[in-house]
């Protein structure tokens, strides 16, 4: 087995970083198709083999996804998000992770949120309520996730916010799944209106409790919707 030359390895690493920059900057958005191989070879001035090696590395990292006969698409903006997207997480697992993230984000946001942040949350809750009234699931999911993401951003903790961003696809899938669960109430005030009131008051303990109550309620709906009905008892005709 022959090891690649240092020069080739450095060139591949450079191409990886240049492609990665297009993804992380948003110039190549998630879900979008990247330029063709021919176009990239011309833009980067590299050999086809170098480009393919760099592309394979980003596919392995989860940032790109090759679709047979359809090109290569952006799957995630960072390696953590890519790794999470490769997992087929159970809804229960997602809720347990949210239980930790949401409470801490709410606690920190109560200390650090700005007036602009509060105004943004007000607007998102209005969008969420309107979507629920119109029974527009996709709009509700977008607004609900954007609200919780905004709370994470307001926490002032960049790592926590990045984790929430990385979990975004899994969180949105879980929210969409709740929609069809028996008894689910998408306008529940826990973790939303109650949380916003706590953030306005700067009440860290109340904010954390409200965020936790929202997850507890969702776990309850999920459990009830999937509870197995008891088997009917056998009877003997007399």
């Amino acid at each position: 087995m022959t090891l690649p030359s240092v020069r080739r390895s450095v060139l591949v690493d450079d191409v990886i970083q240049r492609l990665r920059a297009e993804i992380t900057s948003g110039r190549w958005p998630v879900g979008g198709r990247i330029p063709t191989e021919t176009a990239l070879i011309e833009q980067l001035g590299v050999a086809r083999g170098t480009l393919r090696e760099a592309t394979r590395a980003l596919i392995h990292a989860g940032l790109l996804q090759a679709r047979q006969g359809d090109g290569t698409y952006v799957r995630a903006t960072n390696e953590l998000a890519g790794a999470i997207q490769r997992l087929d997480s159970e809804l229960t697992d997602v809720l347990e992770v949210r239980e930790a993230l949401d409470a801490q984000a709410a606690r920190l946001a109560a200390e650090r949120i700005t007036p602009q942040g509060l105004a943004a949350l007000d607007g998102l809750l209005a969008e969420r309520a309107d979507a629920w009234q119109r029974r527009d699931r996709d709009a509700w999911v977008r607004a609900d996730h954007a609200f919780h993401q905004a709370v994470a951003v307001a926490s002032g903790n960049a790592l926590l916010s990045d984790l929430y961003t990385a979990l975004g696809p899994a969180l949105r899938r879980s929210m969409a799944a709740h929609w069809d669960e028996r008894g689910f109430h998408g306008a529940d005030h826990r973790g939303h209106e109650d949380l916003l009131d706590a953030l306005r008051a700067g009440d860290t303990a109340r904010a954390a409790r409200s965020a936790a109550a929202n997850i507890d309620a969702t776990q309850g709906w999920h459990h009830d919707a999937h509870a197995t009905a008891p088997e009917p008892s056998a009877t003997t005709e007399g």
Side-chain angles (χ1 to χ4, degrees):
M1 175 176 167
T2 303
L3 293 175
S5 67
V6 173
R7 178 179 176 134
R8 178 178 172 81
S9 296
V10 170
L11 184 56
V12 170
D13 286 344
D14 179 61
V15 174
I16 290 172
Q17 292 308 314
R18 292 172 71 180
L19 298 181
R20 192 176 186 279
E22 296 299 305
I23 296 169
T24 57
S25 68
R27 288 189 291 271
W28 291 353
V30 173
R33 184 167 59 183
I34 71 172
T36 65
E37 190 175 80
T38 301
L40 287 174
I41 288 171
E42 182 178 343
Q43 292 173 27
L44 297 168
V46 297
R48 190 176 303 274
T50 300
L51 176 62
R52 287 183 175 178
E53 192 172 336
T55 303
R56 281 196 298 269
L58 291 172
I59 290 172
H60 181 72
L63 275 69
L64 294 177
Q65 180 183 39
R67 300 181 186 174
Q68 189 67 34
D70 191 30
T72 302
Y73 287 75
V74 178
R75 185 175 192 178
T77 56
N78 58 57
E79 287 78 4
L80 177 59
I84 290 171
Q85 285 205 53
R86 288 199 299 269
L87 299 175
D88 186 16
S89 301
E90 293 290 334
L91 180 54
T92 301
D93 294 340
V94 175
L95 289 173
E96 289 174 353
V97 171
R98 280 195 65 191
E99 190 169 14
L101 287 181
D102 284 23
Q104 181 65 358
R107 184 180 293 108
L108 293 174
E111 297 177 344
R112 302 169 179 174
I113 195 165
T114 64
Q116 292 80 8
L118 290 170
L121 291 178
D122 260 326
L124 289 169
L125 283 189
E127 291 178 23
R128 178 177 178 272
D130 177 66
W132 179 254
Q133 288 297 320
R134 292 186 290 106
R135 306 300 295 163
D136 186 335
R137 187 190 70 172
D138 291 344
W140 180 87
V141 168
R142 284 195 299 271
D144 192 79
H145 179 260
F147 175 86
H148 293 292
Q149 179 71 65
V151 173
V153 171
S155 75
N157 184 307
L159 179 56
L160 193 156
S161 179
D162 286 348
L163 285 170
Y164 218 95
T165 299
L167 283 166
L171 296 179
R172 287 190 291 273
R173 283 196 299 271
S174 76
M175 292 169 184
H178 301 332
W179 183 274
D180 295 320
E181 290 180 343
R182 183 172 62 252
F184 179 67
H185 183 39
D188 196 299
H189 54 84
R190 289 169 290 188
H192 301 92
E193 283 78 9
D194 283 357
L195 172 56
L196 184 53
D197 287 344
L199 296 180
R200 281 200 182 94
D203 190 331
T204 58
R206 182 181 159 203
R209 284 196 304 272
S210 180
N214 175 53
I215 302 301
D216 287 344
T218 306
Q219 288 174 324
W221 289 316
H222 181 60
H223 177 269
D224 292 346
H226 294 82
T228 304
E231 292 288 336
S233 58
T235 57
T236 304
E237 293 184 2

